Amino acid sequence: MQRSKLLTVLPLVIAGSLAARALPAAQEETGNPVVAASFAPDGRLWRVRPGKHNLQVDYSTDLGASFSSPVLIQPPRQRLQVDPEGAPQIAVDTGGTLYVAWNADARSAQQSFVVTSRDNGRTFSAPFSPEIPGTPTGAELRPLLLAHGDRADLYFLRPEAAGKRHGLLYRSVVAPGVASPPAAAQIAGSTCECCRLAAARDTDGSVVLLSRMVFDGGIRDFGIIRVSPAGQPSPVLRATDDDWQIDACPEHGGALSIAPDGRYHLTWFTQGRKRKGLFYAFSSDRGTTWSAPLRIGNETALAGHADVLALQDQVYLAWQQFDGTRTSVL
């Protein structure tokens, strides 16, 4: 298959500039580079950042050039679980309801929390916890929040059982004003237990989930699951074939974007027997077949943690590298 003519790689010149920029005291207090952001239907860019003892939510009306004063969400007195593979999540539905989800760490009795706001982030509901059946004690969950219509779909990875290196994928539906959502439903098994999820909405309204799976022989390659608008999951469809056999979580999830023409765009990291490094590929038939993997980044500079965004007729890729002194985003 020919290489995609849509592929455009643009350098983002931000490395080194953030440290020199004066930050408000509230922003300095976060002390954590893990940030999640999402556009609302009205064009606002909403952002959530973990602080030492809280979550900070603010928004931008000028594409990130400036942000509003942050509103603090005070979680229950439990330690936050914050890392690049398990960042807090934020989303806004078509009615303007704002959703924020996060995890406590494995030492906490309750692992997952959600709050909602129906007044543009001025006030938030009390935190509530979706019920995830059979969650083992000390589990670290990996959330993914995706707004849809007048609700949000919340996806979780959780360990299959204490001490096991397989995960299960669950879905819960969160709606405004509902303080106790229905119990989450399992939609896939044999996932990697802690690599982050990625998702995109297909042109037919289905949600396409990208998860690192555990295939036969302990191979940790990526698979996709389509979830219909009614919530019905498809069987897992294998998306990568790198033959990465490892009895541990790589802690390196992939990224997925679906273009307006329905083409799937995927970035991922692997250390498999067939290939090693950071790669990009696309599918024109909803994941049945994929283009030949295209290497991106400099493997010797530890290229990784890529993201992908398909807009109109262009595809944008971003990833990080480390030159021995500083980390850059390209």
Side-chain angles (χ1 to χ4, degrees):
M1 187 178 291
Q2 289 184 331
R3 181 179 299 178
S4 171
K5 296 181 180 178
L6 306 183
L7 180 61
T8 302
V9 179
L10 300 180
L12 307 180
V13 187
I14 65 173
S17 65
L18 297 182
R21 185 176 174 185
L23 301 177
Q27 186 168 337
E28 289 179 349
E29 193 270 339
T30 63
N32 195 303
V34 177
V35 176
S38 179
F39 279 101
D42 65 2
R44 293 191 192 195
L45 177 63
W46 286 92
R47 179 176 65 170
V48 58
R49 298 168 294 145
K52 293 179 181 177
H53 304 292
N54 55 48
L55 293 165
Q56 301 184 11
V57 176
D58 53 13
Y59 65 86
S60 173
T61 57
D62 53 15
L63 301 179
S66 62
F67 281 85
S68 65
S69 297
V71 174
L72 301 185
I73 298 175
Q74 300 290 350
R77 295 298 298 178
Q78 295 177 319
R79 296 174 62 91
L80 298 178
Q81 172 67 33
V82 178
D83 60 66
E85 299 295 292
Q89 299 283 298
I90 189 166
V92 187
D93 69 18
T94 54
T97 298
L98 182 66
Y99 304 82
V100 179
W102 71 92
N103 284 339
D105 72 2
R107 289 167 287 184
S108 302
Q110 193 73 43
Q111 280 82 41
S112 60
F113 296 92
V114 180
V115 294
T116 62
S117 174
R118 305 175 78 175
D119 56 8
N120 275 323
R122 289 187 288 273
T123 61
F124 286 87
S125 68
F128 57 91
S129 297
E131 179 186 348
I132 305 176
T135 303
T137 302
E140 292 187 5
L141 306 179
R142 301 295 179 183
L144 178 68
L145 190 63
L146 195 65
H148 174 57
D150 59 353
R151 68 175 196 269
D153 293 343
L154 188 60
Y155 297 92
F156 282 101
L157 285 176
R158 75 160 179 82
E160 183 177 6
K164 289 201 173 183
R165 295 194 180 276
H166 289 196
L168 303 175
L169 176 57
Y170 279 80
R171 171 181 179 265
S172 181
V173 178
V174 184
V178 178
S180 181
Q186 182 182 333
I187 60 175
S190 296
T191 69
C192 191
E193 68 272 20
C194 62
C195 280
R196 74 181 188 271
L197 293 166
R201 197 167 297 282
D202 206 341
T203 54
D204 64 355
S206 299
V207 172
V208 181
L209 292 164
L210 174 71
S211 175
R212 194 184 291 278
M213 309 298 297
V214 183
F215 293 103
D216 290 345
I219 303 300
R220 298 198 179 221
D221 287 342
F222 284 94
I224 58 174
I225 303 106
R226 292 174 54 84
V227 181
S228 73
Q232 296 300 315
S234 72
V236 176
L237 192 62
R238 191 164 185 156
T240 65
D241 185 14
D242 303 319
D243 201 16
W244 190 2
Q245 187 176 37
I246 178 174
D247 188 26
C249 178
E251 296 190 6
H252 208 135
L256 176 72
S257 185
I258 299 178
D261 64 0
R263 179 173 283 187
Y264 292 9
H265 299 271
L266 169 66
T267 60
W268 76 100
F269 176 83
T270 183
Q271 289 291 286
R273 284 189 280 254
K274 295 183 179 180
R275 62 185 60 86
K276 301 180 188 296
L278 194 63
F279 295 91
Y280 159 85
F282 67 87
S283 173
S284 299
D285 54 13
R286 287 183 166 160
T288 302
T289 61
W290 293 86
S291 64
L294 170 67
R295 182 183 296 279
I296 56 177
N298 182 350
E299 185 180 359
T300 62
L302 305 179
H305 297 288
D307 210 341
V308 58
L309 178 64
L311 291 174
Q312 283 75 45
D313 62 347
Q314 289 191 327
V315 178
Y316 299 90
L317 301 176
W319 66 94
Q320 69 179 37
Q321 294 186 170
F322 181 65
D323 64 5
T325 302
R326 66 176 185 175
T327 298
S328 300
V329 177
L330 306 175

